Every structure is written in C-alpha cells, then in structure tokens.
Amino acid sequence: MKKVLLLVLVFSLGIGLFNISYASGPVSIRMSNWLEMEAATQNIFKQMIAEFEKQNPKIKVETVGIPFNQYKDQVLIMNSSGDAPDVIMGNSQMMVAFNGAKALAPLKGLLSSTTIADIFPNNLQGTTFNGEVKAISWAPHPIALFYNKELFKQAGLDPEKPPATWEQMIDYAKKIAALGKDRGGNKIYGLAIASAKVAHAGTVFNGIIYSYGGYFLDKKGKVALNNSGTKEAFTFIKLMIDQGIAPAGIEQKDVRGLFAGGQVGMVFDGDMGRGAFRTISGKGTDFDQIMGVTIVPIGKTGASETVFTEHELAITQSSKHQKEAAALVEFLLSKKAMVMYHQDQAVLSARKSIAALPEMNEDDYMKVFNKQSETARPLPATNPMFDNAMLEMTKALERVTVGKEDVGKVLAETEAKIKALYQE
Amino acid sequence: MKSKLVIKFDLNSNKYFFGKLFYDKLFAIGLILPAALMLCLTIVLPLLEVIRMSFHNYSLLNMNQIKWNNFANYQLLFTDPELLFAFLRTFYYVVVTVSLNLVIGFTIALLLNREIKSRNFLRGLFFLPWTFPTLVAAVVWLWIYQPQYGIFNYLLQTCDLISRHVNWLGELNTAMPAVIVASVWKQTPLMMVMILAALQTVPRDLEEAAVIDGASSSQRFFNVTIPCIMGVLKTVILSSIITNFQMFALFFVMTGGGPVRATTTLAIYTYEAAFMQFNLGKGAAVGVLWLVFLVVFTVTYNRILSKKEAFQD
C-alpha cells in the first residue's frame, strides 16, 4: 500500500513539475491591428514584432489582423465575448468607443512614468478619459498646409513664402482661383477642403473651427457647437465655395486628387500626404519639386491651430498578461521601433525625446510636421458616439455648402442632434 | 458459418408494417430534411434572433447586459421622422429603378428576340454589366461621375450641354438620379435576359393564329405575348423590387447616404443605427419593419397578379 502511495506522490510531483516548467515557458499575448492587413505596412509591422520577440524571448506575440473598415466593430465584439486581445491598436475615434465599452485598462502603473511624461501634452490629453490615461499615442498625424509652387508662381506669389496668417491664405487662394482654367480646361481652385460624405471631413474640420477660436466641446466637456467661432468657420467655407474659390461636395480623396493633378493651390493634409501625392500624381518624388508644405497659417487665436489624427495603443482590462502587454507597448513606443517605423513609413513620434532626434527630422518636410505636432490639438473625442457626431458635422457642412441653408439654423439643429446622441 | 443479417426491401410486397404511403413519406422527409435543416440554420434562426434583438436593449458597447426594453426601439423609430423619409427615398428609388429596368430590359429583349445580325454577340454584350460585382460597378460609376476627371462631365461639356463641373453625386437634386442610372445599368441585363428567355417560349402557333385572325402587332403583344410571359414577368419584377429595397453597396460606396440625407435609404439608415450608433436593437427593429412591409407587399402582389393569371386561363 505504501508503495502505491509513494508512486502516486511521485507521479503527482512529476505532473506539478511539468506544469511549473510549462508555466515558465514563453507567455503568449495577442495584439489586434490593421497594419498587417495593408500591403504598405505589413512588412514593417512584422519586423517590429520580430524585433520585440528577439529582445523578449519569454514573450510571444500573436497578431490579430483585422481590415480597417471592420476593425472597430470586430474589436468591440471580441471584447463583449470575453476574447479581447491583450494589446489593441486604434485611432482616436476607435479608442473612445473601446473606452465606452469598458475595454481599456488605465496605463498608469503599467507603463513607466518616464514614457508617459515624454508624450506631448496635447497627445496625452487626447488619450485621457475622465482623468485616466487609457491609451497612448503611437504615430500622430498632424494636419498641415500643402501648397502648389507652380500655381503660386502663375498667380504672382512667391513660392518660397507660403501664407503665414489666415487672411493671407484667403488672399492667396483668391489670387490662385483667379487664374481660371488650366491648359486642359479644368477649373483651378485656390483652396480645397473636404466637406462631404464621410465622418472624416467633419473630424478634420475641427482644426478650422479652432483657427476661428471656435470649439466643439465647452470647458466642461459638453457639446457646444453653436458658438461664434464655429459660425465663422462654417461661414468661411460657405463663402469660399460660393465664390468658386473652393470646390463643393468633396471628400479628402477628391482633395488629394485635385492637388496631385495641379488643380488646387492649397490643401490641408497629414504627414502621409506626401506619399499620397507622389502616387496619385504619377510623378513619384518629382512631385516634391512642385509641392510645398508649411504649418497651418495663424488664425484668430494667434496660433497655428490644427488637429491631429493618430494611431494609438492600449492594453485591455481583461488581459491576463498586462505586464507583458505593457512591455510590447513600451517597445513599440521606443526609439528603436519608432526609427524603424519612421524609416519605412515616415511616421512621427508623439514622444518629445524621439520627435527631436535627427533621424526623425531628416528633411524640411519632417521638420514642418514635427513643428506642427507641438501645436496640433487632439480631436475632441470624449464620447463613444464621436464618429457619429462627426458624421452629423459633415452633414451640417453639406447643408451649408451644398444645400445653401442658414449657418446659424444648421448649427443649432446639429448641436441639438449631437446632444441627443451624447445623451446630454 | 457466420450468420448474416440481411434486410430486404421488397417494394412490391404488401407486407409493410405501417403501409406503403408511410414509407414513401418517410423517404421524402429524409430527402427534404438536410435542406430544411440548412434553411433553418441560415434563415429561420437568424430571423428569429433579429426579431428577438429588436425587442431588447442591444448595444455593441455593452453586449453583456442585454435587456428587454418595452418596445423602446420601436418607439424610438416611430418618433424619428428620418425613418419615414428613408422609407420614402427607398420607395422612390425602387419604383423608378424597377420601372426603368422593366421598360429598357423589355425593349432590348424584344429587339434581341428578332432575327438580327450578330444577335448572340449583342446578347453577350448587353449582359456584361450584370457580371460586374455591385461594388465594382459602384466604384466605376463613382469615377464616371467624378466632377473634375469624370468622363460624364467631359462628354457633356464637349457637347456644350453643361458649362461647369457638375458634382452629380454631391448635389441634392442629382445624387439620387445618378445612383439610379448606375443601378439601372447594373441590373437591366438580368431583366433583359429573363424576359428574352420567356419570349422564346411564346408558342409560335398562337402568334400565327392571331395573325390569321387579323390582330395588329400591338394586339398580338398585349393579348398574346404578355399573357404568355406573365409568370416570368411577375417573378422578375418581384425579385427586382426586393433586390432594390435591399440595395446597400451602391449607396454606401457612391454617396454614403449624402449629400445631407438625399440618398439615405432604409439600408443606409439601418447601417447607421446598428454600426455607427452601436444600437443593434434599433437596427434590428428597422429590419423587422422592413421585413413586415416586404412580406405584406409580396403577398398582395402575388394575389393581384395570380388573379390576372387565372383570368388568362
């Protein structure tokens, strides 16, 4: 009998030891993203993950690739079904929805305080919900002003002196629009601003609202769209379109097409604009000779006002490996990863210490965007319904510019509608 | 020697335990069962689930707390004037699209039913647009209508019919007609092929008899051809109505429901409710109302046209 008991004991110990040795093996964490679903970013993303695994042999990263268009819904469903990944990639509009679904863990205590303190204050503000940092800026895309040097020359403007103030920008736009038509008989516009169809137009229009001293949320964080600055911003775009200086009813991809085709003098776009214009124009890097870029002209507030969209990272509340997930986030924000990512995709870093590195400022183009990062404001995304609110903003722009409705009436009605969406 | 169990079925034998009819029915049920189960799994169960969802507080942000909400989704819909507008826009789109599909499809089918040169080639050519996936057709038309580079504006300007770049999909009065044109281009070929197939089944002797009786061509068309193909017409029209009521891809890609709300149909409205407002319950409620309307419509439609068929007999 004793022999039998001894055998059972030895067997149990063996099982226990096997379990211990198994538990001390690599910890597997999952990261959802859309980068690996897109040809342009697939390789660099895999390289960054491979580098992390090389540096952290005890952590294995399983990537969960989801196409961008389905990303938000899929992550929300994964979270609801208790199958949330450990690390979530997202943009500002998505993160506010993930936070609304109580998916995100507070990052204080998970990430080092040095890393959090190194993020530009505006970027940090954009990922802070109710006083808690729930996500962290990874690759910000501040919006700056692109201009066509050829059209500047034709309009008698100095192509090396882009507009420094908002009034100058309007004046330049009028002069460029006065050129009339190009050789192909196409109308030339002074300025093009996305104002139709998708939520993105309304989202980016926040930058123009800020330039006029307006706001979407008041100081208490409540929807307060119907203010004098916003009215001025809406009136500005209406006048530009009514006078034929800017085209009506277009979205950002149309704006890019017009600029790349040499039919518009000035457009607002992010740091990814250069790559897009090179491709769409069919001229590759030769397009850089025509294209100039500068920070957004100083508006009513006396500052270069703009917004940034950005890719962000977060750790999920339900993750059983938050420490390992934090190690991955720290790595992706590190100098090593950011320089790799920048060299491949020309992305910016939201970290002050990295944004200032010579490797991240290799030409004037990157310098302009790093400078713009300092003043760019986060999107006012505080409610899970933000994307829907921005779609209402786009519809308001359409009502004013295409429907020729009264600005005051449209803003009052849109504000009421967004308040209802936000349940305020 | 091993014993072997042998079951013999002798169909001519009268020694059936439950009677021959019983076994025949059992056999028939066995044949139908897999398909019936598959239908249940893919149609009936999701349908019941959607009906259940429409009575619950079903948010994508909080799917762990799904509660009965006392018809709140339906109350929300009936107090939202946009639902009625979305329905009216859908109705307008369906009526115009199906009418154009029918008239153009019928005309081409009648032409291609005659002895003309290159008839087979023309049939293939006219059928081509239907082979494009709807998404591809939407993107193609998006570029055709593009205000600055689009071929549509280019042709109209070349012919001096317009003096400026018209944003066909971005202006309130032109957006819906522009989508309808794309839709008709995409769907007419199917209507044409179905009607053409039906026309080829019209008995020659009936037509010849009508000619001998002195019937004019229009009399032959309305009194011989139409009644002979009524069954097919009824089916293709109904199928076209239902397809267009559900049309999502063309609107989503070409206009996104805009400008303002000029092309927000029921499909776009449902998408906005379910996936932009995260309110799956409201989205399901729209779907249920939509279903009820289509069921009532289909039953009424079939009854009215069945009477006409009966009259023909």
Side-chain angles (χ1 to χ4, degrees):
Chain A
M1 185 64 190
K2 278 182 183 174
K3 279 182 182 174
V4 174
L5 280 173
L6 192 66
L7 272 172
V8 170
L9 189 65
V10 169
F11 184 70
S12 308
L13 273 172
I15 296 270
L17 283 170
F18 175 77
N19 277 341
I20 290 165
S21 65
Y22 179 77
S24 63
V27 171
S28 189
I29 57 171
R30 296 193 304 147
M31 177 183 175
S32 64
N33 71 93
W34 63 83
L35 296 181
E36 67 179 301
M37 304 305 287
E38 292 172 11
T41 48
Q42 193 179 49
N43 287 339
I44 183 63
F45 179 68
K46 283 182 179 166
Q47 284 165 22
M48 285 191 287
I49 296 297
E51 182 62 31
F52 170 75
E53 287 180 333
K54 198 172 127 193
Q55 289 185 16
N56 299 271
K58 290 191 174 175
I59 307 174
K60 178 104 184 74
V61 181
E62 186 191 324
T63 58
V64 183
I66 304 167
F68 183 82
N69 288 342
Q70 301 160 22
Y71 191 82
K72 186 167 66 178
D73 298 339
Q74 290 301 319
V75 171
L76 283 171
I77 290 167
M78 287 165 89
N79 180 59
S80 310
S81 57
D83 188 35
D86 302 276
V87 177
I88 302 178
M89 179 194 169
N91 61 23
S92 314
Q93 298 93 308
M94 292 171 183
M95 279 304 175
V96 72
F98 299 154
N99 183 54
K102 299 180 177 62
L104 310 182
L107 294 180
K108 196 178 172 188
L110 285 174
L111 299 185
S112 79
S113 52
T114 321
T115 304
I116 294 177
D118 197 26
I119 302 287
F120 283 115
N122 277 347
N123 295 75
L124 198 61
Q125 189 197 327
T127 55
T128 305
F129 304 108
N130 293 325
E132 285 188 306
V133 179
K134 293 279 195 77
I136 201 94
S137 304
W138 186 20
H141 303 297
I143 310 289
L145 183 76
F146 287 78
Y147 62 98
N148 184 312
K149 291 182 179 179
E150 288 292 328
L151 290 179
F152 264 52
K153 270 188 220 167
Q154 287 173 34
L157 301 166
D158 185 346
E160 300 310 321
K161 281 189 182 170
T165 65
W166 202 261
E167 287 74 23
Q168 260 181 3
M169 183 187 77
I170 294 173
D171 183 44
Y172 287 13
K174 284 179 180 170
K175 284 179 178 160
I176 294 167
L179 290 170
K181 290 186 176 180
D182 65 10
R183 283 178 194 167
N186 299 306
K187 181 169 170 49
I188 295 173
Y189 296 101
L191 188 67
I193 297 169
S195 59
K197 206 169 161 183
V198 290
H200 181 265
T203 306
V204 174
F205 195 73
N206 278 288
I208 293 172
I209 292 176
Y210 292 153
S211 288
Y212 278 94
Y215 43 85
F216 174 71
L217 299 176
D218 63 16
K219 286 178 182 167
K220 290 177 188 167
K222 300 284 179 192
V223 175
L225 188 64
N226 193 10
N227 58 71
S228 61
T230 309
K231 272 182 194 160
E232 281 188 62
F234 270 70
T235 308
F236 153 74
I237 191 165
K238 181 179 164 59
L239 286 176
M240 291 287 108
I241 288 169
D242 287 352
Q243 292 171 13
I245 297 167
I250 57 169
E251 55 179 311
Q252 192 61 19
K253 66 179 169 61
D254 303 318
V255 170
R256 286 181 173 168
L258 284 172
F259 187 74
Q263 281 178 250
V264 63
M266 291 173 280
V267 297
F268 296 100
D269 209 328
D271 53 300
M272 67 292 271
R274 178 166 66 179
F277 298 138
R278 284 174 177 173
T279 309
I280 300 168
S281 67
K283 293 178 178 167
T285 51
D286 287 349
F287 191 76
D288 295 0
Q289 307 297 318
I290 305 167
M291 180 186 74
V293 64
T294 184
I295 59 168
V296 171
I298 290 167
K300 244 188 157 181
T301 59
S304 169
E305 297 284 6
T306 188
V307 288
F308 58 81
T309 58
E310 63 178 359
H311 294 174
E312 299 170 353
L313 297 168
I315 297 169
T316 51
Q317 189 81 269
S318 59
S319 168
K320 286 173 185 157
H321 305 290
Q322 290 187 336
K323 201 177 126 196
E324 289 78 9
L328 175 61
V329 173
E330 288 272 11
F331 170 78
L332 292 172
L333 294 169
S334 70
K335 180 186 166 188
K336 172 84 183 169
M338 285 316 302
V339 171
M340 278 172 80
Y341 201 4
H342 176 80
Q343 283 170 351
D344 193 82
Q345 292 291 311
V347 297
L348 303 173
S349 169
R351 291 183 67 165
K352 289 175 263 184
S353 62
I354 297 174
L357 290 170
E359 298 97 306
M360 304 291 282
N361 291 276
E362 70 277 22
D363 57 22
D364 288 342
Y365 182 84
M366 295 318 304
K367 281 178 192 163
V368 166
F369 277 100
N370 275 314
K371 193 178 175 197
Q372 190 72 79
S373 270
E374 292 168 16
T375 60
R377 290 207 233 169
L379 295 173
T382 54
N383 189 295
M385 293 293 163
F386 178 72
D387 233 6
N388 217 40
M390 290 303 104
L391 189 63
E392 290 302 329
M393 180 94 96
T394 303
K395 289 189 193 309
L397 283 167
E398 287 179 333
R399 288 175 67 184
V400 167
T401 57
V402 181
K404 309 292 178 199
E405 291 187 53
D406 176 66
V407 172
K409 179 176 174 270
V410 168
L411 284 180
E413 287 174 8
T414 306
E415 183 183 284
K417 201 156 196 180
I418 296 174
K419 279 188 173 192
L421 275 175
Y422 276 30
Q423 295 182 337
E424 282 184 359
Chain B
M1 191 179 165
K2 285 181 184 175
S3 63
K4 213 173 181 181
L5 181 64
V6 179
I7 301 170
K8 283 186 178 175
F9 287 99
D10 183 359
L11 294 174
N12 297 318
S13 163
N14 291 323
K15 293 172 187 172
Y16 288 112
F17 196 74
F18 293 108
K20 186 174 183 294
L21 194 63
F22 174 80
Y23 288 104
D24 283 349
K25 280 186 177 175
L26 201 65
F27 182 65
I29 289 169
L31 287 176
I32 294 168
L33 201 62
L37 281 176
M38 192 54 80
L39 276 178
C40 272
L41 207 67
T42 55
I43 295 176
V44 180
L45 288 181
L47 188 68
L48 293 176
E49 176 61 12
V50 166
I51 294 170
R52 191 185 73 87
M53 279 168 75
S54 74
F55 293 106
H56 287 77
N57 194 5
Y58 214 114
S59 167
L60 203 53
L61 295 178
N62 195 2
M63 287 178 75
N64 295 324
Q65 287 196 336
I66 297 163
K67 287 178 186 167
W68 170 267
N69 65 2
N70 291 325
F71 304 96
N73 294 326
Y74 290 95
Q75 284 170 9
L76 195 66
L77 285 179
F78 289 126
T79 52
D80 184 3
E82 190 47 43
L83 175 72
L84 179 65
F85 291 133
F87 178 81
L88 291 175
R89 280 183 215 112
T90 311
F91 191 74
Y92 166 73
Y93 163 77
V94 170
V95 168
V96 178
T97 306
V98 175
S99 305
L100 289 173
N101 274 345
L102 183 65
V103 172
I104 300 171
F106 213 133
T107 309
I108 299 172
L110 284 172
L111 289 173
L112 293 180
N113 196 38
R114 295 178 172 200
E115 292 294 329
I116 53 169
K117 261 188 179 180
S118 314
R119 189 166 71 161
N120 288 338
F121 170 75
L122 287 173
R123 281 178 185 176
L125 189 71
F126 281 118
F127 192 62
L128 203 60
W130 191 76
T131 60
F132 285 97
T134 309
L135 200 68
V136 175
V139 174
V140 167
W141 278 93
L142 197 65
W143 284 107
I144 289 173
Y145 286 132
Q146 211 284 334
Q148 281 77 30
Y149 310 107
I151 193 156
F152 198 58
N153 269 349
Y154 173 76
L155 289 174
L156 293 177
Q157 277 182 321
T158 308
C159 300
D160 279 334
L161 291 172
I162 54 168
S163 57
R164 63 181 180 96
H165 293 310
V166 180
N167 191 347
W168 297 98
L169 296 170
E171 293 186 13
L172 292 172
N173 299 329
T174 56
M176 183 61 96
V179 177
I180 289 174
V181 169
S183 181
V184 169
W185 177 84
K186 166 81 177 73
Q187 296 176 44
T188 298
L190 183 67
M191 184 78 88
M192 181 268 290
V193 164
M194 300 296 279
I195 295 172
L196 183 60
L199 285 174
Q200 287 169 352
T201 64
V202 176
R204 283 279 171 113
D205 52 346
L206 269 184
E207 286 197 346
E208 284 164 7
V211 172
I212 292 164
D213 287 347
S216 67
S217 55
S218 63
Q219 281 174 324
R220 287 204 308 273
F221 177 72
F222 287 108
N223 297 319
V224 177
T225 311
I226 294 281
C228 282
I229 64 167
M230 187 50 105
V232 174
L233 273 185
K234 192 179 84 173
T235 309
V236 291
I237 292 171
L238 183 63
S239 149
S240 181
I241 288 171
I242 292 172
T243 304
N244 282 295
F245 245 99
Q246 295 166 343
M247 180 56 74
F248 176 74
L250 278 181
F251 288 102
F252 188 67
V253 174
M254 292 177 75
T255 62
V260 191
R261 282 198 170 274
T263 58
T264 301
T265 54
L266 277 176
I268 296 284
Y269 182 80
T270 309
Y271 173 80
E272 283 182 7
F275 295 108
M276 293 208 67
Q277 297 168 17
F278 308 116
N279 194 342
L280 296 180
K282 185 182 168 190
V286 184
V288 171
L289 291 179
W290 197 350
L291 176 79
V292 169
F293 172 79
L294 281 179
V295 167
V296 171
F297 172 81
T298 309
V299 170
T300 316
Y301 175 90
N302 276 329
R303 280 196 174 178
I304 291 171
L305 290 187
S306 296
K307 276 179 193 168
K308 287 200 171 185
E309 275 184 307
F311 173 74
Q312 179 208 330
D313 292 337

